Amino acid sequence: VGILPGADPNLKNEYVVVTAHLDHLGRWAAVNGDSVYNGAHDNAVGIGVMLEIARSLHASGSRPKRSIAFVAVTAEEKGLLGSDFYAQQAQAREQKVVANVNMDMPMIFTPIFDFVALGAQHSTLGSVAKQAAAAQGYRLSADAQPELVKFIRSDQFSFIRRGIPALSLTGGYQPRDPSVDLAELREQFLSAHYHQPSDDLTLPMDYPAAADLARVNGRIALAIASAANAPRWNNDDFFGEKFQSPK
């Protein structure tokens, strides 16, 4: 855990929590003689993005109103155990977490025009994400597979179920090179490399797009931490009504 302390005496005890899970499956069943599950896309990219946001905000000298916590959590693959422990401890210590920005397996294979902000339609964080993406020259696309309910399938759910609005950005669907079949790249990764030893650095990865993802998420975190009002669930939203807002 690393903390960028807030500058406002009245808001510095409110926290924007930026998360990514640092471990994968470790050693597991060997595939073609390889038992090391590297987790390059899932989730070394997410950890790299989180660390770069922390580094760049620290280097910029930015002092937003609220504090920003950068948290590398463990055991996401075992049931969100690390993020659940952190959120539970924050709640027990009456540390007010106002938002979570999580990064998990963004699947940045090639230069793209768009990102997907999972959870954007549920809270005021959606407009924050849209503005941040536009400022970096990207647009936001809707999740093309809502039936997979990815919004509640990673560490952000540890915060959502405690009433805290959350976002998780992933790569979009619109390649900058029209000759690239991005849908095929995604399907190939999910069918052949997801949770396999072959999720390593031999796979396609576009580092400039990943760097832009860090910039967009950094803008989001900074905007939340600098805003006069904390994020809130949209009126009549399922998650807001189901889990309520934190007291």
Side-chain angles (χ1 to χ4, degrees), residues 92-245:
R93 297 177 186 186
E94 299 185 346
Q95 180 189 79
K96 187 174 182 182
V97 176
V98 300
N100 170 237
V101 179
N102 185 51
M103 284 146 285
D104 184 9
M105 198 178 77
M107 293 198 288
I108 306 292
F109 302 123
T110 189
I112 49 178
F113 286 114
D114 61 327
F115 294 114
V116 175
L118 300 173
Q121 71 272 36
H122 295 292
S123 75
T124 56
L125 292 177
S127 61
V128 178
K130 184 177 181 179
Q131 291 172 17
Q136 203 58 48
Y138 288 81
R139 47 186 175 259
L140 291 184
S141 294
D143 182 9
Q145 296 177 297
E147 71 277 6
L148 298 181
V149 290
K150 289 178 281 188
F151 184 46
I152 60 171
R153 289 176 53 190
S154 188
D155 289 304
Q156 65 268 13
F157 188 56
S158 296
F159 298 89
I160 294 166
R161 71 188 193 93
R162 289 175 171 85
I164 299 165
L167 274 181
S168 181
L169 265 68
T170 68
Y173 311 110
Q174 301 165 18
R176 291 183 182 264
D177 181 348
S179 69
V180 172
D181 189 341
L182 182 51
E184 174 60 25
L185 286 176
R186 293 168 70 95
E187 176 56 33
Q188 186 178 54
F189 173 80
L190 292 172
S191 62
H193 306 295
Y194 176 59
H195 284 190
Q196 297 296 316
S198 55
D199 179 8
D200 60 24
L201 290 179
T202 64
L203 297 180
M205 187 178 299
D206 190 71
Y207 291 94
D212 279 343
L213 178 62
R215 295 183 181 102
V216 172
N217 274 311
R219 289 178 184 273
I220 291 170
L222 191 58
I224 301 167
S226 302
N229 299 312
R232 60 172 178 79
W233 297 104
N234 293 333
N235 294 334
D236 302 320
D237 182 74
F238 169 81
F239 293 103
E241 292 188 345
K242 173 70 174 176
F243 299 112
Q244 302 299 315
S245 297

